[in-house]
Amino acid sequence: MSDPGQENPARSALFTDLYELTMAAAYHAEGMEALAVFELFFRGLPNSRNYVVAAGLDDVLDYLERWRFTEEDITYLAAQIPMPTGFADALRRLRFVGDVHAVPEGTVVFGNEPLVQVIAPIIQGQIVETFVLNQVHFQSVAATKAARVVSAAAGRQVVDFGSRRAHGTDAALRVARASYLAGAAGTSNVLAGKRYGMPVVGTMAHSYIQAHDDEAEAFEAFARLHPRTTLLVDTSDTLAAVGKIIELSRRLGDKFDIGAIRLDSGNFGHLAKESRALLDEAGMRDVRIFASGGLDECDIAALIEGGAPIDGFGVGTKLAVSADAPSLDMAYKLVEYDGRPRTKLSAGKVICPGRKQVFRLCDGERMKQDVIGRHDEDLPGRPLLEPVMAGGKRLPAGRVSLEAARSHCQAQLALLAEPLRALKRADEPYPVTFSDLLESDLALITQPRAPEP
């Protein structure tokens, strides 16, 4: 029987790139065991983004606490790379015993700011790179997209409908969680609701109406079984279907208990206005209108600006794959080894050396500026990175509930100036600078050395 860890990427130490393991073998052969500091950050914002919402930390910490190589892992690895003397035994004993500092999930972050720091013996810090980067990158992309959708909805309900077109089952679950963290009201994915304790939302598909010979009979049968349900009205003729629901309300009287109608195609603005007029004229002002079908934040903003009386939105594909900005230039880089700062001088990818901290200054109720400094500098502002794991075990700051992260995210977004919350790129980006000491550290490393006399 295969090991369950190999079947679940979130449990397997082999969820890593091969070069992490070839480097680990070389470190072992050379006796390199000192502490290393790796930092995860992204270099810049996509053209359509003014900020990023950090997410994925909870999965990273869970992975690190369980991280280990099985005998099957080691046997497989021995057939892939040269194994120096003692390396197999070292892998058998290997556990993550390092520290992790990170910004809390839901924190608004910007380019070049460390989101996660892994401080561990270099072999451990090196091998876990792939998983750390995979989880924080994807979930931050998803949370940022969801935050924009929620912002565009301007207080109206947003529900994640993206599971069927997400890039795999794991992605669907992570999108659901990231969306809720960023302010969505819930998800259509039942497993996500069970796993994360978040609301699940769903009513009917067109197939239910199609399976009946009469649309009105389908509405009545479903409504009797599911009080406060939402009825899908665009299977054939949207406004005619609304008329059938009005007739149903008259027939059922006090027993009529419909929460909303759902529009899933057509001209949403026009159909919403016409449907609202029909419902209001029939005295059904408490029946809400919900829209779904190919929507993103720009569509939602346009509908609201056009006065569409829509009370909630289901957002699927374009949320699940973050269609307009599906990736960040995110990296996980060594910045310190054996107590000495390290850097990289590749063109366009220079790294400031040493472990860092991000200090955020606020002016009243708005973020004003971030300064990236040395981790031990005493600079004005609130430090963003905090210890979440020590010696391979979570600290209290690493055990934050999804609800708490969600509340933190809303508070963070409220601190952004209005132009930064807007959907279009702000004329003036949020200011992020390096401290004088950090700039001097980089200058010392990059300045040409004087020739030997």
Side-chain angles (χ1 to χ4, degrees), residues 316-359:
T317 304
K318 293 178 182 178
L319 168 60
V321 303
S322 189
D324 64 322
S327 66
L328 295 166
D329 187 10
M330 190 172 280
Y332 177 99
K333 297 299 179 183
L334 179 72
V335 297
E336 186 175 302
Y337 177 66
D338 200 12
R340 293 178 55 197
R342 310 287 168 150
T343 190
K344 173 183 174 183
L345 302 178
S346 305
K349 296 184 177 181
V350 174
I351 299 170
C352 278
R355 183 177 155 200
K356 304 169 194 70
Q357 178 59 274
V358 181
F359 300 88

Side-chain angles (χ1 to χ4, degrees), residues 176-327:
R177 181 185 184 276
S179 297
Y180 188 68
L181 184 153
T187 179
S188 63
N189 189 294
V190 180
L191 180 57
K194 177 184 177 184
R195 178 173 295 184
Y196 301 122
M198 54 188 288
V200 290
V201 178
T203 55
M204 60 165 60
H206 295 102
S207 55
Y208 182 81
I209 304 296
Q210 293 172 273
H212 290 75
D213 294 330
D214 183 270
E215 187 175 46
E217 290 179 2
F219 287 155
E220 182 171 355
F222 200 82
R224 287 184 182 279
L225 183 61
H226 301 289
R228 303 305 300 164
T229 194
T230 298
L231 297 177
L232 182 60
V233 295
D234 75 324
T235 304
S236 53
D237 183 317
T238 297
L239 297 181
V242 173
K244 293 174 184 177
I245 292 171
I246 292 171
E247 176 58 33
L248 178 63
S249 74
R250 292 169 178 159
R251 189 166 68 254
L252 295 182
D254 292 342
K255 295 181 180 180
F256 178 81
D257 191 15
I258 301 300
I261 63 170
R262 177 160 71 97
L263 309 174
D264 195 54
S265 62
N267 184 324
F268 290 123
H270 169 73
L271 291 172
K273 290 175 182 178
E274 292 295 316
S275 297
R276 184 76 273 159
L278 291 171
L279 292 168
D280 289 352
E281 185 179 353
M284 300 167 64
R285 299 181 185 277
D286 60 337
V287 174
R288 301 166 67 244
I289 298 176
F290 192 87
S292 61
L295 296 171
D296 67 7
E297 64 267 42
C298 295
D299 299 322
I300 291 170
L303 285 167
I304 291 172
E305 186 177 353
I310 298 174
D311 303 291
F313 300 92
V315 186
T317 304
K318 293 178 182 178
L319 168 60
V321 303
S322 189
D324 64 322
S327 66

Side-chain angles (χ1 to χ4, degrees), residues 382-443:
R382 184 174 65 85
L384 297 188
L385 290 151
E386 55 188 44
V388 294
M389 176 173 275
K393 302 296 182 184
R394 289 200 203 206
L395 298 172
R399 297 187 180 279
V400 176
S401 70
L402 179 56
E403 291 293 340
R406 174 181 163 91
S407 296
H408 175 66
C409 182
Q410 298 312 300
Q412 285 279 292
L413 292 168
L415 290 172
L416 283 171
E418 187 60 37
L420 296 171
R421 289 201 299 268
L423 299 184
K424 68 177 184 178
R425 192 67 180 262
D427 293 334
E428 295 292 332
Y430 182 80
V432 178
T433 60
F434 293 100
S435 71
D436 292 341
L437 281 177
L438 204 57
E439 293 276 18
S440 66
D441 290 343
L442 182 61

